[in-house]
Amino acid sequence: DAGITQSPRHKVTETGTPVTLRCHQTENHRYMYWYRQDPGHGLRLIHYSYGVKDTDKGEVSDGYSVSRSKTEDFLLTLESATSSQTSVYFCAIMGNPDNEQFFGPGTRLTVL
Amino acid sequence: AQSVTQPDIHITVSEGASLELRCNYSYGATPYLFWYVQSPGQGLQLLLKYFSGDTLVQGIKGFEAEFKRSQSSFNLRKPSVHWSDAAEYFCAVAINNNDMRFGAGTRLTVKP
Protein backbone atom coordinates (compact mmCIF):
# COMPACT_ATOMS: atom_id res chain seq x y z
CA ASP A 1 0.00 0.00 0.00
CA ALA A 2 1.12 3.53 -0.77
CA GLY A 3 2.08 5.35 2.42
CA ILE A 4 -0.82 7.75 2.74
CA THR A 5 -2.64 8.55 5.93
CA GLN A 6 -5.48 10.93 6.58
CA SER A 7 -6.52 12.50 9.85
CA PRO A 8 -8.97 12.61 11.34
CA ARG A 9 -10.82 9.64 9.87
CA HIS A 10 -14.16 10.89 11.14
CA LYS A 11 -15.29 14.31 12.22
CA VAL A 12 -18.58 15.90 13.19
CA THR A 13 -18.69 19.67 13.36
CA GLU A 14 -21.16 22.51 13.32
CA THR A 15 -21.99 24.97 10.60
CA GLY A 16 -19.69 27.97 10.61
CA THR A 17 -16.75 26.35 12.35
CA PRO A 18 -13.34 25.98 10.70
CA VAL A 19 -12.12 22.48 9.90
CA THR A 20 -8.71 21.26 8.79
CA LEU A 21 -8.07 17.83 7.31
CA ARG A 22 -4.58 16.46 7.02
CA CYS A 23 -3.03 14.21 4.43
CA HIS A 24 0.40 12.74 5.13
CA GLN A 25 2.54 10.73 2.73
CA THR A 26 5.78 8.86 3.23
CA GLU A 27 6.50 8.37 -0.49
CA ASN A 28 8.09 11.76 -1.20
CA HIS A 29 5.77 12.18 -4.18
CA ARG A 30 5.46 15.54 -5.84
CA TYR A 31 1.76 15.60 -6.65
CA MET A 32 -0.98 15.52 -4.02
CA TYR A 33 -4.72 15.91 -4.45
CA TRP A 34 -7.87 16.44 -2.42
CA TYR A 35 -11.15 15.00 -3.65
CA ARG A 36 -14.63 14.82 -2.25
CA GLN A 37 -16.92 11.88 -2.85
CA ASP A 38 -20.66 12.26 -2.96
CA PRO A 39 -23.33 9.80 -4.09
CA GLY A 40 -24.04 10.11 -7.79
CA HIS A 41 -20.96 12.25 -8.42
CA GLY A 42 -18.04 9.93 -8.05
CA LEU A 43 -14.94 11.82 -6.93
CA ARG A 44 -14.45 15.47 -7.72
CA LEU A 45 -11.18 17.33 -7.43
CA ILE A 46 -11.08 20.16 -4.89
CA HIS A 47 -7.45 21.29 -4.99
CA TYR A 48 -4.13 19.84 -5.93
CA SER A 49 -0.47 20.51 -5.28
CA TYR A 50 2.48 20.05 -7.60
CA GLY A 51 5.14 20.88 -5.05
CA VAL A 52 5.85 22.65 -1.78
CA LYS A 53 3.85 25.89 -1.72
CA ASP A 54 2.56 25.17 -5.25
CA THR A 55 -1.17 24.59 -5.31
CA ASP A 56 -4.06 25.17 -7.66
CA LYS A 57 -7.83 24.88 -7.79
CA GLY A 58 -9.79 21.93 -9.00
CA GLU A 59 -13.34 21.46 -10.16
CA VAL A 60 -15.08 22.20 -6.83
CA SER A 61 -12.76 24.55 -4.93
CA ASP A 62 -15.24 27.11 -3.59
CA GLY A 63 -15.24 27.18 0.20
CA TYR A 64 -11.94 25.30 0.50
CA SER A 65 -8.31 26.31 0.84
CA VAL A 66 -5.15 24.22 0.97
CA SER A 67 -1.58 24.51 2.09
CA ARG A 68 1.56 22.51 1.53
CA SER A 69 4.55 23.65 3.56
CA LYS A 70 6.31 20.28 3.43
CA THR A 71 6.46 17.60 0.77
CA GLU A 72 4.79 15.06 3.03
CA ASP A 73 1.81 17.09 4.23
CA PHE A 74 -1.15 18.55 2.35
CA LEU A 75 -3.80 20.30 4.41
CA LEU A 76 -7.38 21.00 3.38
CA THR A 77 -9.20 23.76 5.27
CA LEU A 78 -12.86 24.61 5.34
CA GLU A 79 -12.81 28.18 6.62
CA SER A 80 -16.47 28.13 7.65
CA ALA A 81 -18.04 24.73 7.23
CA THR A 82 -21.48 24.41 5.65
CA SER A 83 -23.85 21.46 5.49
CA SER A 84 -23.15 21.13 1.76
CA GLN A 85 -19.60 20.20 2.67
CA THR A 86 -20.74 17.04 4.42
CA SER A 87 -18.91 14.43 2.41
CA VAL A 88 -16.14 11.87 2.36
CA TYR A 89 -12.79 13.45 1.57
CA PHE A 90 -9.98 11.55 -0.08
CA CYS A 91 -6.38 12.47 -0.46
CA ALA A 92 -4.33 11.05 -3.32
CA ILE A 93 -0.70 11.12 -4.38
CA MET A 94 1.02 10.63 -7.70
CA GLY A 95 4.71 10.14 -8.16
CA ASN A 96 5.29 8.53 -11.50
CA PRO A 97 4.69 9.95 -14.98
CA ASP A 98 1.81 7.61 -15.71
CA ASN A 99 -0.87 9.67 -13.98
CA GLU A 100 -1.60 6.80 -11.61
CA GLN A 101 -2.97 8.09 -8.34
CA PHE A 102 -2.93 6.27 -5.01
CA PHE A 103 -5.64 7.09 -2.51
CA GLY A 104 -5.75 7.45 1.23
CA PRO A 105 -8.42 5.81 3.43
CA GLY A 106 -10.70 8.85 3.47
CA THR A 107 -12.14 11.22 6.07
CA ARG A 108 -15.86 11.25 6.71
CA LEU A 109 -16.94 14.80 7.59
CA THR A 110 -20.40 15.65 8.85
CA VAL A 111 -21.42 19.28 9.18
CA LEU A 112 -24.52 19.77 11.31
CA ALA B 1 -17.22 19.46 -22.02
CA GLN B 2 -15.02 16.70 -20.67
CA SER B 3 -17.01 13.94 -19.04
CA VAL B 4 -16.97 10.32 -17.95
CA THR B 5 -20.17 8.29 -18.03
CA GLN B 6 -20.90 5.03 -16.31
CA PRO B 7 -24.40 4.25 -17.56
CA ASP B 8 -25.20 1.59 -14.96
CA ILE B 9 -25.69 2.82 -11.40
CA HIS B 10 -26.25 -0.67 -10.00
CA ILE B 11 -25.66 -4.14 -11.43
CA THR B 12 -26.52 -7.49 -9.90
CA VAL B 13 -24.91 -10.68 -11.14
CA SER B 14 -24.85 -14.23 -9.86
CA GLU B 15 -21.63 -15.64 -8.49
CA GLY B 16 -19.76 -17.37 -11.29
CA ALA B 17 -21.42 -15.32 -14.01
CA SER B 18 -19.53 -12.99 -16.30
CA LEU B 19 -19.44 -9.25 -15.74
CA GLU B 20 -19.11 -6.20 -17.93
CA LEU B 21 -19.15 -2.66 -16.56
CA ARG B 22 -19.45 0.13 -19.07
CA CYS B 23 -17.50 3.37 -19.26
CA ASN B 24 -17.66 6.06 -21.91
CA TYR B 25 -15.71 9.28 -22.01
CA SER B 26 -15.84 12.53 -23.86
CA TYR B 27 -12.45 14.12 -24.42
CA GLY B 28 -10.73 15.77 -27.34
CA ALA B 29 -7.74 13.46 -27.23
CA THR B 30 -7.15 9.92 -26.01
CA PRO B 31 -6.75 10.21 -22.26
CA TYR B 32 -5.14 7.94 -19.75
CA LEU B 33 -7.81 5.48 -18.59
CA PHE B 34 -8.28 3.78 -15.24
CA TRP B 35 -10.60 1.51 -13.31
CA TYR B 36 -10.71 1.71 -9.52
CA VAL B 37 -12.61 -0.42 -7.02
CA GLN B 38 -13.90 0.73 -3.66
CA SER B 39 -15.12 -1.58 -0.91
CA PRO B 40 -17.49 -0.10 1.69
CA GLY B 41 -15.71 2.30 4.01
CA GLN B 42 -12.45 1.95 2.13
CA GLY B 43 -10.35 4.03 -0.19
CA LEU B 44 -9.97 3.40 -3.89
CA GLN B 45 -7.75 0.65 -5.24
CA LEU B 46 -6.45 0.66 -8.79
CA LEU B 47 -7.59 -2.35 -10.82
CA LEU B 48 -5.95 -1.51 -14.13
CA LYS B 49 -4.88 1.31 -16.40
CA TYR B 50 -4.39 2.06 -20.08
CA PHE B 51 -1.91 4.55 -21.49
CA SER B 52 -1.04 3.24 -24.93
CA GLY B 53 -0.29 0.07 -26.87
CA ASP B 54 -2.36 -3.09 -26.61
CA THR B 55 -5.98 -2.08 -26.21
CA LEU B 56 -6.79 -5.06 -24.00
CA VAL B 57 -5.25 -4.58 -20.57
CA GLN B 58 -5.07 -7.02 -17.71
CA GLY B 59 -5.45 -5.98 -14.13
CA ILE B 60 -5.53 -7.41 -10.66
CA LYS B 61 -8.14 -9.82 -9.31
CA GLY B 62 -8.80 -11.31 -12.76
CA PHE B 63 -10.19 -8.13 -14.30
CA GLU B 64 -9.50 -6.88 -17.79
CA ALA B 65 -10.60 -3.86 -19.81
CA GLU B 66 -10.70 -3.04 -23.48
CA PHE B 67 -10.11 0.40 -24.92
CA LYS B 68 -12.15 1.12 -28.04
CA ARG B 69 -11.18 4.42 -29.55
CA SER B 70 -14.01 4.47 -32.08
CA GLN B 71 -16.57 4.13 -29.29
CA SER B 72 -14.72 6.24 -26.70
CA SER B 73 -15.20 3.35 -24.32
CA PHE B 74 -13.17 1.49 -21.73
CA ASN B 75 -15.32 -1.35 -20.45
CA LEU B 76 -14.30 -3.54 -17.55
CA ARG B 77 -14.83 -7.29 -17.71
CA LYS B 78 -14.42 -10.38 -15.61
CA PRO B 79 -15.25 -13.88 -16.84
CA SER B 80 -16.42 -15.28 -13.50
CA VAL B 81 -17.48 -13.08 -10.61
CA HIS B 82 -16.72 -14.00 -7.01
CA TRP B 83 -18.73 -12.87 -3.99
CA SER B 84 -15.74 -10.80 -2.87
CA ASP B 85 -16.06 -8.66 -6.02
CA ALA B 86 -19.11 -6.92 -4.58
CA ALA B 87 -18.05 -3.27 -4.37
CA GLU B 88 -18.33 0.01 -6.19
CA TYR B 89 -16.36 0.48 -9.38
CA PHE B 90 -15.17 3.77 -10.78
CA CYS B 91 -13.90 4.57 -14.22
CA ALA B 92 -11.53 7.54 -14.43
CA VAL B 93 -9.79 9.42 -17.21
CA ALA B 94 -6.91 11.86 -17.11
CA ILE B 95 -5.52 14.21 -19.69
CA ASN B 96 -2.68 15.46 -17.55
CA ASN B 97 -1.49 15.55 -13.96
CA ASN B 98 -4.08 18.12 -12.99
CA ASP B 99 -7.26 16.81 -14.51
CA MET B 100 -8.53 13.37 -13.53
CA ARG B 101 -12.26 12.92 -13.90
CA PHE B 102 -14.27 10.12 -12.39
CA GLY B 103 -17.51 8.53 -13.40
CA ALA B 104 -20.34 8.39 -10.87
CA GLY B 105 -19.62 4.74 -10.16
CA THR B 106 -21.35 1.39 -10.61
CA ARG B 107 -22.32 -0.60 -7.57
CA LEU B 108 -21.95 -4.33 -8.04
CA THR B 109 -24.02 -6.80 -6.06
CA VAL B 110 -23.18 -10.50 -6.30
CA LYS B 111 -25.95 -13.03 -5.68
CA PRO B 112 -25.01 -16.40 -4.19
Side-chain angles (χ1 to χ4, degrees), chain A residues 58-73:
Chain A
E59 182 185 0
V60 290
S61 60
D62 287 348
Y64 301 95
S65 62
V66 291
S67 65
R68 190 167 179 202
S69 58
K70 299 184 290 184
T71 298
E72 57 266 34
D73 289 324

Side-chain angles (χ1 to χ4, degrees), chain A residues 58-104:
Chain A
E59 182 185 0
V60 290
S61 60
D62 287 348
Y64 301 95
S65 62
V66 291
S67 65
R68 190 167 179 202
S69 58
K70 299 184 290 184
T71 298
E72 57 266 34
D73 289 324
F74 192 32
L75 305 181
L76 177 71
T77 297
L78 291 65
E79 301 290 349
S80 177
T82 68
S83 58
S84 65
Q85 293 175 312
T86 292
S87 186
V88 180
Y89 291 85
F90 286 97
C91 175
I93 63 175
M94 184 180 71
N96 61 49
D98 294 336
N99 292 79
E100 179 179 337
Q101 295 185 18
F102 297 95
F103 287 81

Side-chain angles (χ1 to χ4, degrees), chain A:
Chain A
D1 290 343
I4 313 171
T5 57
Q6 293 183 230
S7 58
R9 294 292 313 279
H10 301 270
K11 186 171 181 66
V12 179
T13 191
E14 294 187 350
T15 297
T17 60
V19 176
T20 296
L21 308 182
R22 179 181 183 240
C23 176
H24 179 80
Q25 62 150 328
T26 58
E27 307 296 318
N28 201 37
H29 285 341
R30 178 182 175 193
Y31 285 87
M32 298 184 75
Y33 306 83
W34 276 108
Y35 292 89
R36 60 177 290 172
Q37 182 179 30
D38 304 289
H41 291 278
L43 278 75
R44 292 178 291 175
L45 182 64
I46 304 171
H47 281 278
Y48 66 93
S49 170
Y50 46 96
V52 173
K53 298 185 179 179
D54 291 323
T55 66
D56 207 344
K57 297 178 180 180
E59 182 185 0
V60 290
S61 60
D62 287 348
Y64 301 95
S65 62
V66 291
S67 65
R68 190 167 179 202
S69 58
K70 299 184 290 184
T71 298
E72 57 266 34
D73 289 324
F74 192 32
L75 305 181
L76 177 71
T77 297
L78 291 65
E79 301 290 349
S80 177
T82 68
S83 58
S84 65
Q85 293 175 312
T86 292
S87 186
V88 180
Y89 291 85
F90 286 97
C91 175
I93 63 175
M94 184 180 71
N96 61 49
D98 294 336
N99 292 79
E100 179 179 337
Q101 295 185 18
F102 297 95
F103 287 81
T107 294
R108 182 173 295 276
L109 175 67
T110 302
V111 184
L112 301 175

